Amino acid sequence: MIYAFCYHFQLEDPLIQLKEDYKWIDACDFHWRLGIDGLSLGSILLTGFITTLASIQKRRRGDPSE
C-alpha cells in the first residue's frame, strides 16, 4: 500500500497530496486530516522498505511465534 501511495505522488507539486479528511466529532467540529508532503515521502518509503524486509526475514527463519 505504501508503494502505491508513492507511485501516485507527483514530485513536481510541492503541496500536500493524497489528502484524507473525515469529520470525527460533529458537536465540536473535529476533523481527522491526513496528507503526504514532499518531506515526509522519504520516511514513508523507508518505513515501507524496512517493514517489507522484516516480513521477508521472518518468513525465511520460520519463526515459531507465528
Side-chain angles (χ1 to χ4, degrees), residues 31-50:
H31 290 257
W32 171 260
R33 293 186 176 133
L34 182 66
I36 300 174
D37 61 355
L39 291 174
S40 62
L41 185 62
S43 61
I44 291 170
L45 274 172
L46 183 62
T47 300
F49 181 68
I50 290 172

Side-chain angles (χ1 to χ4, degrees), residues 17 41 55:
Q17 300 176 33
L41 185 62
S55 299

Side-chain angles (χ1 to χ4, degrees), residues 2-66:
I2 290 174
Y3 302 116
F5 282 133
C6 293
Y7 177 76
H8 292 290
F9 191 83
Q10 298 173 357
L11 293 174
E12 58 274 351
D13 186 8
L15 300 176
I16 294 180
Q17 300 176 33
L18 307 170
K19 299 178 201 173
E20 296 292 329
D21 184 4
Y22 297 103
K23 196 162 223 171
W24 185 31
I25 302 173
D26 290 333
C28 298
D29 197 30
F30 288 167
H31 290 257
W32 171 260
R33 293 186 176 133
L34 182 66
I36 300 174
D37 61 355
L39 291 174
S40 62
L41 185 62
S43 61
I44 291 170
L45 274 172
L46 183 62
T47 300
F49 181 68
I50 290 172
T51 303
T52 303
L53 288 179
S55 299
I56 290 170
Q57 182 64 20
K58 183 174 180 177
R59 275 185 199 240
R60 281 189 185 165
R61 294 181 81 181
D63 198 2
S65 65
E66 289 182 332

